[in-house]
Amino acid sequence: MDLYEGLPEPVAKAWERGLTSGRAAMSRRRLLRAASLAAAGTTLAACGIPPAAGSKGGEGAEDAPDYSKKEKVLNFANWPLYIDVDEKNKKKHPTLDHFESQSGIRVKYVEDINDNNEFYGKIKPQLAAGQSTGRDLICLSDWMAGRLIRQGYVQRLDPANMTHAVTNLEDRFRAAAHDPGRQYSYPWAGTACIVAYNKKATNGKKITSVTQLLEDDALKGRISMLTEMTDTVGLTMLDMGADSEHFTEDQFDAAIARIQKAVDRKQLRRFSGNDYLDELNSGDIAACLAWAGDIVQLQMDNDDIAFAVPDRGYLFGTDDLLVPAKARHQSNAEALIDYYYQPDVAAQLAAWVNYICPVSGAKAEMEKIDKELAEDPLVFPDQHMIAKGKNFRPMSAKEEARYEEKFSKLIGA
């Protein structure tokens, strides 16, 4: 069956963009890491997780029997290269290996989440049929996590099994619109969409706003925006004074019209996914919208790369850990979530992935590992940056189709 069968055409196109040029596409640094992993003989998809099958409504998530005491195993599905790797033995993940030795739980770790919608298409038939997906723990972006929670496709977490997580989750991550009270999900990492620029390409001029990207003649033909609708339109709405968490149809349309004006006057070089990094690094793109984790990595190689948190806000989100309905090993999954909420473990993870760390106390532990990263606001945001973080409000299925159609026309997809 076609993955996109039954979807509105604009939404299907958005899914395809995510696979080829969105967050699913790897950055240059990550591609190099992927190559080294492949050379070391790492196999990403050989962990015994069955394919999806079936179809019918997803009731009974709370009733799944837990075999954790009898079966000391955990099937964990994550994004590629979203966990620490041993520099000497690329097959090893130090924090995960330590969890196994400490808990006695054998983890079958598979990197088979390349795109939120693609992965949803894999597991939805089984979830809808009330069957196990073969996975005990998955990591999905907050908006997709919210969809699964609303559909009854995930299991409620037991806080009694996650004392570190309950205690050490930073307060700003507790108030989640898609999961009030964090009953079903805990963040693996935080994400941020910001403005980035190449100081050499801008002749030292600071680029700090979407207004500059869209209107500064000195940048004409040398800026890019993202193929991710929520990030590009969300940041533009914030720049225009609208609230991305409570916007109206008219405000969305106004943001589209503003970007279209910049397209028409050839202010934009193009819309892009992670492939903006090479052009930003070389200076072919002077400034752009960017994902913070990628910029942290790029700055390690290029001192000319800088970023700005716009005065009117940036797009903030999380990639969340969830236990799918009918998972066999919920308690084992909760044990792993709890393990990663120990500050020293969280710091080890953040030192490698470079995304926002959601764990209180991890910054102090990071200072023992990498003092520069400990002070990086893209990994450990200060209060000034925290205050500017905004989500893109949840959309109904009809809204998603309508907004994606308008955005697809804008970017020529």
Side-chain angles (χ1 to χ4, degrees):
M1 183 182 76
D2 188 334
L3 173 62
Y4 309 118
E5 183 179 340
L7 290 174
E9 183 178 356
V11 177
K13 287 183 177 179
W15 286 22
E16 291 181 278
R17 286 201 307 274
L19 287 173
T20 57
S21 62
R23 278 194 59 212
M26 296 181 193
S27 69
R28 177 179 59 84
R29 178 179 288 274
R30 288 181 177 182
L31 283 171
L32 290 174
R33 284 176 173 172
S36 67
L37 285 171
T42 301
T43 302
L44 300 182
C47 294
I49 291 179
S55 73
K56 191 194 156 197
E59 300 279 333
E62 307 295 335
D63 301 328
D66 190 351
Y67 298 93
S68 294
K69 289 184 178 180
K70 294 181 179 179
E71 301 173 3
K72 305 298 286 183
V73 66
L74 173 66
N75 297 310
F76 181 11
N78 203 352
W79 297 73
L81 305 163
Y82 210 12
I83 195 170
D84 53 309
V85 174
D86 188 284
E87 293 298 328
K88 295 180 180 179
N89 186 342
K90 303 300 182 182
K91 293 183 179 181
K92 291 184 173 295
H93 306 296
T95 57
L96 202 57
D97 294 343
H98 182 258
F99 170 76
E100 288 186 315
S101 63
Q102 183 184 70
S103 66
I105 298 169
R106 181 170 56 88
V107 180
K108 294 181 179 179
Y109 184 77
V110 59
E111 297 176 315
D112 69 340
I113 303 176
N114 290 301
D115 176 80
N116 286 288
N117 285 307
E118 179 202 30
F119 188 73
Y120 178 75
K122 286 182 183 179
I123 65 174
K124 182 183 177 181
Q126 288 172 313
L127 292 170
Q131 301 171 355
S132 171
T133 66
R135 300 162 177 88
D136 301 304
L137 190 64
I138 58 177
C139 182
L140 295 171
S141 297
D142 49 14
W143 59 271
M144 180 59 75
R147 182 189 295 180
L148 266 65
I149 292 168
R150 291 191 300 273
Q151 293 176 332
Y153 288 163
V154 294
Q155 298 184 180
R156 189 188 301 269
L157 300 171
D158 185 351
N161 293 334
M162 303 188 305
T163 54
H164 290 111
V166 171
T167 301
N168 295 330
L169 176 66
E170 282 199 12
D171 288 344
R172 62 197 169 100
F173 292 93
R174 296 179 187 272
H178 66 287
D179 182 15
R182 287 291 179 186
Q183 300 180 70
Y184 297 92
S185 67
Y186 268 76
W188 178 250
T191 62
C193 184
I194 55 174
V195 171
Y197 59 100
N198 184 312
K199 291 181 287 186
K200 186 175 181 180
T202 64
N203 294 317
K205 184 178 183 178
K206 293 183 178 180
I207 309 301
T208 62
S209 70
V210 172
T211 293
Q212 284 177 280
L213 294 180
L214 297 177
E215 300 177 11
D216 190 335
D217 288 335
L219 301 175
K220 188 172 182 178
R222 296 191 299 145
I223 73 135
S224 70
M225 302 184 90
L226 295 166
T227 55
E228 294 283 336
M229 181 269 287
T230 55
D231 290 324
T232 290
V233 179
L235 272 172
T236 302
M237 286 195 292
L238 289 173
D239 186 77
M240 297 172 72
D243 186 348
S244 63
E245 295 178 344
H246 304 284
F247 64 85
T248 65
E249 188 92 10
D250 287 344
Q251 289 171 325
F252 183 93
D253 289 345
I256 291 288
R258 187 183 185 202
I259 302 169
Q260 184 66 62
K261 185 177 180 180
V263 170
D264 294 342
R265 65 184 292 267
K266 301 188 184 304
Q267 178 76 4
L268 274 73
R269 181 184 181 94
R270 66 192 183 97
F271 293 91
S272 65
N274 278 105
D275 50 342
Y276 68 84
L277 286 172
D278 284 332
E279 291 177 299
L280 181 64
N281 184 57
S282 68
D284 290 340
I285 287 176
C288 60
L289 297 186
W291 290 301
D294 293 331
I295 297 306
V296 173
Q297 294 179 15
L298 196 58
Q299 286 180 319
M300 294 178 184
D301 300 325
N302 188 340
D303 292 336
D304 288 326
I305 302 303
F307 72 91
V309 179
D311 287 340
R312 291 187 172 178
Y314 66 95
L315 259 292
F316 168 76
T318 55
D319 288 330
D320 290 345
L321 297 172
L322 308 106
V323 177
K326 302 299 181 181
R328 289 178 62 89
H329 310 108
Q330 177 170 341
S331 295
N332 291 345
E334 291 165 342
L336 186 137
I337 294 172
D338 194 57
Y339 167 78
Y340 275 98
Y341 270 81
Q342 296 176 85
D344 59 332
V345 178
Q348 292 176 59
L349 177 66
W352 204 90
V353 302
N354 298 155
Y355 277 77
I356 296 171
C357 182
V359 180
S360 294
K363 182 176 180 179
E365 294 296 330
M366 180 68 82
E367 290 175 353
K368 304 173 185 177
I369 301 171
D370 188 324
K371 290 185 178 181
E372 187 175 344
L373 272 182
E375 297 304 318
D376 195 323
L378 299 185
V379 180
F380 295 98
D382 54 25
Q383 290 303 314
H384 180 67
M385 184 170 179
I386 290 171
K388 292 183 177 181
K390 290 284 187 176
N391 295 117
F392 193 96
R393 72 163 171 80
M395 298 175 287
S396 67
K398 289 183 178 179
E399 283 181 321
E400 184 179 9
R402 188 165 64 249
Y403 294 156
E404 285 291 359
E405 181 175 15
K406 293 176 180 180
F407 188 66
S408 293
K409 290 179 180 178
L410 171 68
I411 69 176

